[in-house]
Amino acid sequence: MGTDAGVAKAGESLLDGIPVITADSHGHHNLIQQLALAAHAADGTTTGHCNALAFTPQELVLLYHEHRYWLRPVQRPPAHFRTWFFMGGRGTGKTYAGAAAVIDEARADPEARILIVGPTYSEIVKNQMEGTSGILTISAPWFFPKVEKSRRKLVWPNGAQATWLPAKNADKFRGHQYTFIWADEPVAWKGDAVAVYKECRVVNRLTTTWMRAQGLPPRMVITTTPAPTVLFREMLGDREGLVLARSSTLENLANLAPDYEAYVRRVMETPEGRREFMGELRFDLDPALYRGVNWNASRIDPKKAPKEYDAIIVSVDPATGEKKGADMHGIVVLGVRLEADGLDHVYVLQDASLRTPEPEVWAREAIKALEAWEPFAKKRSNGKPNA
């Protein structure tokens, strides 16, 4: 999926006007941690909290299996939303939050029809279903779904159901309808990811008796790391009922290895680290390698452009893959001319880049651009244009 220069440039401004849940606004600790802190404040307890709080064996089993006690505030969706967008760094507990949201929805609504969307079938099973924070891993024994792998379906004891589809082909979503959708890592979706997202919106239209009683619309949970893609702009632009949650890797260190923490702290101030671990909308290139360019500083009035160039070059950079959602094929026309300062000046004359799944289409466009600009090139000794 191609990057979007507009997203990269806009950065944090894309979030303007969106309600945001953060650790600073809603708290840093889950309910278990809050109990431990309260016990410590009351009598200085630092160990043996279970004995201090007089939990029964049954209560300890309940605490172990019920994720609502272990979710940090930022990992819990609000009571009312249309889209809950959990954007965070690597290892912040996004998968855990998404899986918990699915289980809670299934438990609350026996008529729930849930769709689980991920990059591929194998990624869905490996991460969203059977991963260390997946639905099947964190489900309590007393509310464990029956897995029908051949039908790609989960059925909970109360009748709620979920199915899963990979984000590969938008047409595969047609004919479905759901009350609740969990879309994981959409920035990693391949192919025409925007079309898949839009189709998710179309099929997220079913309501149930419980939803109507609660005044709830069909809802979608999105869990992802930020990335400068066209899809990211599309998702954040869908503002109706949108609530954003933000978290960094540092907020979940209790569940991460010490060596991993050391690595995160070492790279978190780099542009990539601020995006991948701090969960920030920072897409600038590393200034140690790239310098900002003010293209307008060297721009000239087209009316004052040279009428002839020493050479005309059509630069072609074909995209990888020929699918509908592949990156654009780069086609740029350049004029090279030796100027009075003794240097070759390069003029960008035309950007004919396009997106097409057909190789002959972009090839014809490149030839068309060459033919259009050949008359502006100086002639070689054989009389042919230097193009």
Side-chain angles (χ1 to χ4, degrees):
M1 180 171 52
T3 59
D4 185 300
V7 177
K9 183 177 180 180
E12 293 281 326
S13 65
L14 286 174
L15 308 180
D16 291 347
I18 301 176
V20 180
I21 298 171
T22 66
D24 289 338
S25 64
H26 286 66
H28 291 259
H29 304 107
N30 61 39
L31 293 176
I32 296 294
Q33 291 169 328
Q34 291 177 36
L35 282 173
L37 289 170
H40 176 70
D43 54 23
T45 301
T46 57
T47 60
H49 293 98
C50 293
N51 293 330
L53 295 170
F55 286 135
T56 66
Q58 293 82 2
E59 288 172 334
L60 288 176
V61 171
L62 178 67
L63 286 175
Y64 178 82
H65 286 290
E66 286 292 352
H67 51 256
R68 65 176 178 269
Y69 298 114
W70 300 98
L71 290 167
R72 306 191 311 278
V74 74
Q75 292 176 296
R76 296 196 296 265
H80 291 271
F81 66 92
R82 178 172 171 263
T83 304
W84 183 54
F85 195 122
F86 186 8
M87 182 180 73
R90 303 287 186 92
T92 56
K94 301 185 297 294
T95 302
Y96 187 64
V102 167
I103 295 170
D104 288 343
E105 185 71 13
R107 180 159 39 193
D109 189 355
E111 298 178 83
R113 295 298 180 266
I114 300 168
L115 175 63
I116 301 164
V117 185
T120 65
Y121 277 124
S122 62
E123 289 295 315
I124 293 171
V125 173
K126 183 172 65 175
N127 296 323
Q128 295 171 264
M129 306 289 291
E130 300 176 356
T132 55
S133 300
I135 294 169
L136 300 180
T137 304
I138 70 171
S139 287
W142 50 86
F143 194 68
F144 197 88
K146 177 184 177 183
V147 183
E148 300 179 5
K149 274 199 171 181
S150 61
R151 301 175 65 187
R152 301 187 182 95
K153 180 183 287 189
L154 301 178
V155 181
W156 278 273
N158 65 349
Q161 299 180 18
T163 188
W164 56 94
L165 281 172
K168 283 190 168 183
N169 186 344
D171 290 338
K172 295 292 185 181
F173 290 74
R174 291 181 176 274
H176 296 259
Q177 54 181 357
Y178 299 96
T179 61
F180 193 91
I181 295 177
W182 174 24
D184 188 49
E185 290 296 349
V187 296
W189 295 356
K190 305 301 181 183
D192 196 348
V194 173
V196 171
Y197 170 75
K198 289 182 177 180
E199 200 60 38
C200 284
R201 280 298 181 198
V202 172
V203 302
N204 192 202
R205 59 178 183 256
L206 195 62
T207 61
T208 67
T209 303
W210 177 80
M211 290 168 63
R212 288 189 288 272
Q214 300 295 317
L216 297 174
R219 281 146 297 141
M220 180 184 293
V221 167
I222 300 171
T223 51
T224 190
T225 304
T229 64
V230 177
L231 175 58
F232 211 83
R233 178 191 290 275
E234 179 75 26
M235 293 186 300
L236 288 175
D238 195 353
R239 295 297 182 94
E240 182 182 354
L242 174 61
V243 179
L244 184 71
R246 305 189 66 177
S247 183
S248 77
T249 305
L250 299 181
E251 294 173 14
N252 196 35
L253 292 180
N255 296 303
L256 302 174
D259 289 347
Y260 188 72
E261 176 186 353
Y263 170 71
V264 170
R265 291 190 182 280
R266 189 167 67 249
V267 303
M268 68 183 191
E269 293 302 327
T270 66
E272 182 181 7
R274 295 180 74 90
R275 181 179 71 248
E276 292 293 321
F277 299 110
M278 306 308 288
E280 297 180 8
L281 282 174
R282 294 179 65 92
F283 307 122
D284 47 315
L285 299 174
D286 192 333
L289 300 176
Y290 302 95
R291 304 296 178 185
V293 176
N294 180 6
W295 295 105
N296 288 322
S298 59
R299 192 183 301 275
I300 64 172
D301 188 334
K303 295 179 180 179
K304 298 179 181 179
K307 304 302 181 185
E308 185 180 62
Y309 299 89
D310 297 333
I312 291 290
I313 301 170
V314 177
S315 177
V316 181
D317 181 17
T320 302
E322 298 177 358
K323 295 183 179 180
K324 182 180 178 182
D327 290 346
M328 295 185 75
H329 304 283
I331 303 173
V332 177
V333 182
L334 306 173
V336 182
R337 178 183 169 96
L338 181 64
E339 297 293 358
D341 58 6
L343 300 175
D344 284 328
H345 288 217
V346 179
Y347 297 82
V348 179
L349 305 176
Q350 180 187 358
D351 181 0
S353 303
L354 76 164
R355 181 178 284 110
T356 174
E358 304 296 336
E360 59 268 23
V361 175
W362 62 257
R364 283 198 302 267
E365 189 66 27
I367 294 172
K368 179 182 174 182
L370 177 62
E371 292 174 343
W373 288 96
E374 271 184 334
F376 296 88
K378 281 186 177 180
K379 298 289 194 300
R380 299 180 182 139
S381 57
N382 60 7
K384 294 183 177 180
N386 187 24

